[in-house]
Amino acid sequence: MNAGTRELMTELQTRGLRLQAPQAGAASRRGGAGPSDHKAVTVDGVTLMVPVHTHGAFDSPFVADAPGADGLATLRHGTIPIAQISFPRTPKFYARQTADGIPYQQIATLHGTDVLATTVLQTCIRYESRRKACRFCAIGQSLAAGRTIAHKTPAQLAEVARAAVELDGVRHMVMTTGTPPTRDRGAQVLCDSAEAVKAAVDLPLQVQCEPPDTDAWFQRLKDAGADTLGMHIEVIGDELRQQILPGKTEVPMARYWEAFEAAVAVFGRGQVSTYLLAGLGDSRETLLATSERLLALGVYPFVVPFVPISGTPLEDHPPPGAGFMQSVLQPLGAMVREAGLRASDIKAGCGKCAACSTLSVFEGAEAPAEIA
Ligand code: SF4
């Protein structure tokens, strides 16, 4: 992929997209955890989650025409056609429901082109208090709107996972969770869910939670069937953590570092990952220095552009500029490559899916002269 396409993808992901035919392809998402207010868009064979419902997206210079009969749509910058794009199709499993009438789509959704994603517990101890809630989080919005259910049971997850593999060929699954008021911080519910899914279908699986109270949970999660683990730092600086995710500061950064080391010993190098949200205040230097420390431990640093979600306290926060993202992702791509922890080697999860950041397209890129 050439530098121009990488730049276009990074810009599209930070500025968003206006759609002439909003219903094209798989439905977009509003609210919830993960890439909310986004839609999956394929550019040059790479699928990205691109904001379509955010305030910024309404002002984006990028516009997609309605797709033609061949599924391709023209992407324009203003009025100038710049690329052909496509939208992943609506998955067949969305048409199904459980015996007790719950649509499968309320239990898990398709992310990117081939990832099944679910938030096992759609409630969170942090979200219940305005003072403690992460200021970017919309976990309660899709629940309040009736688009999902509060607790997906292991049996429901297993049923939907099997259907998504059989009907749509999904290749891996991501299970995240809101944090319950228990010391395991969601690890037990993830163990139960992983066990049920793995008993039903052979599907690589990533589980995601805050660092649990004891490292013994990592082996339990692995034994239950988790192939990879995500523990998400999100923002790094102590002051910034207090501002952006006050409830989560109950778990100090020192615990994250300790937990990463213990988790890599169980899951292996490159099979533990973290999200770092670029654009919320951590500098390029902080993001890169933290990534370097993570890579040295064997943790994949999934740096994603922060995109504000409508209805959250940060809804008017500007997304990072494409220039800032490139200035982080270009050197980070080289660092990841040198550490031998590429996205393509991850067995399951966000880093492998790679739709929420253009990091993976920089992992194969040549470093420019000033960075090399
Ligand atoms: S990177 Fe993770 S959150 Fe983003 S679309 Fe892929 S699976 Fe979903």
Side-chain angles (χ1 to χ4, degrees):
M1 179 179 296
N2 63 41
T5 309
R6 283 197 298 274
E7 200 174 315
L8 166 64
M9 292 169 88
T10 307
E11 209 172 330
L12 197 54
Q13 193 156 52
T14 51
R15 304 201 66 175
L17 176 65
R18 287 181 286 137
L19 299 170
Q20 301 287 22
Q23 299 316 323
S28 50
R29 304 179 60 224
R30 279 177 183 273
S36 302
D37 293 358
H38 285 58
K39 189 176 182 70
V41 176
T42 304
V43 188
D44 201 14
V46 176
T47 299
L48 294 176
M49 296 307 282
V50 174
V52 292
H53 295 306
T54 59
H55 289 188
F58 297 139
D59 293 329
S60 171
F62 295 107
V63 189
D65 289 351
D70 57 0
L72 292 176
T74 301
L75 175 68
R76 298 176 191 277
H77 188 276
T79 54
I80 303 164
I82 51 172
Q84 292 291 299
I85 60 174
S86 61
F87 305 101
R89 62 187 164 64
T90 302
K92 298 191 187 87
F93 79 86
Y94 279 16
R96 295 220 174 155
Q97 57 178 36
T98 60
D100 48 350
I102 300 169
Y104 279 8
Q105 197 179 348
Q106 292 194 6
I107 295 166
T109 55
L110 185 77
H111 281 199
T113 50
D114 58 5
V115 190
L116 184 66
T118 186
T119 302
V120 181
L121 297 178
Q122 198 80 29
T123 54
C124 182
I125 188 177
R126 317 284 182 216
Y127 195 80
E128 282 158 12
S129 142
R130 193 172 287 193
R131 198 171 50 80
K132 290 186 183 159
C134 302
R135 294 172 61 77
F136 49 72
C137 183
I139 194 170
Q141 284 185 21
S142 43
L143 184 61
R147 287 191 297 269
T148 187
I149 56 174
H151 182 184
K152 289 83 173 175
T153 66
Q156 288 169 339
L157 292 168
E159 182 176 336
V160 177
R162 195 186 311 112
V165 170
E166 285 170 4
L167 299 175
D168 297 289
V170 306
R171 291 155 67 96
H172 54 125
M173 181 171 184
V174 177
M175 276 184 191
T176 191
T177 183
T179 304
T182 47
R183 293 165 62 90
D184 61 278
R185 302 198 175 96
Q188 180 66 62
V189 85
L190 291 171
C191 280
D192 298 344
S193 309
E195 215 161 62
V197 167
K198 283 290 179 130
V201 64
D202 182 16
L203 185 63
L205 182 61
Q206 178 176 64
V207 292
Q208 303 177 344
C209 59
E210 292 186 52
D213 60 337
T214 134
D215 294 342
W217 282 108
F218 301 136
Q219 191 60 51
R220 291 178 200 144
L221 284 163
K222 182 135 200 282
D223 293 345
D227 296 283
T228 70
L229 172 69
M231 293 186 289
H232 299 164
I233 295 176
E234 290 153 340
V235 295
I236 303 162
D238 281 341
E239 239 176 76
L240 208 57
R241 291 190 81 218
Q242 282 293 348
Q243 253 175 50
I244 307 278
L245 30 90
K248 276 190 187 160
T249 57
E250 179 194 288
V251 182
M253 282 301 293
R255 172 64 191 134
Y256 277 81
W257 291 112
E258 192 184 274
F260 284 137
E261 203 171 338
V264 171
V266 172
F267 288 93
R269 281 178 61 77
Q271 306 305 334
V272 176
S273 59
T274 192
Y275 259 72
L276 298 173
L277 300 174
L280 281 175
D282 284 314
S283 66
R284 171 183 186 269
E285 289 67 32
T286 301
L287 288 164
L288 289 173
T290 305
S291 298
E292 195 170 16
R293 185 171 170 190
L294 288 161
L295 287 165
L297 283 178
V299 177
Y300 184 81
F302 194 43
V303 175
V304 306
F306 167 69
V307 177
I309 300 170
S310 310
T312 65
L314 288 181
E315 68 177 358
D316 293 322
H317 192 284
F324 178 75
M325 287 312 299
Q326 290 231 90
S327 79
V328 175
L329 297 180
Q330 181 94 54
L332 182 56
M335 285 159 59
V336 167
R337 192 170 62 230
E338 270 158 37
L341 297 186
R342 290 187 212 226
S344 50
D345 297 328
I346 301 174
K347 294 179 195 161
C350 288
K352 181 182 185 67
C353 163
C356 282
S357 169
T358 49
L359 172 58
S360 67
V361 302
F362 287 93
E363 288 169 18
E366 289 303 313
E370 71 270 20
I371 291 162

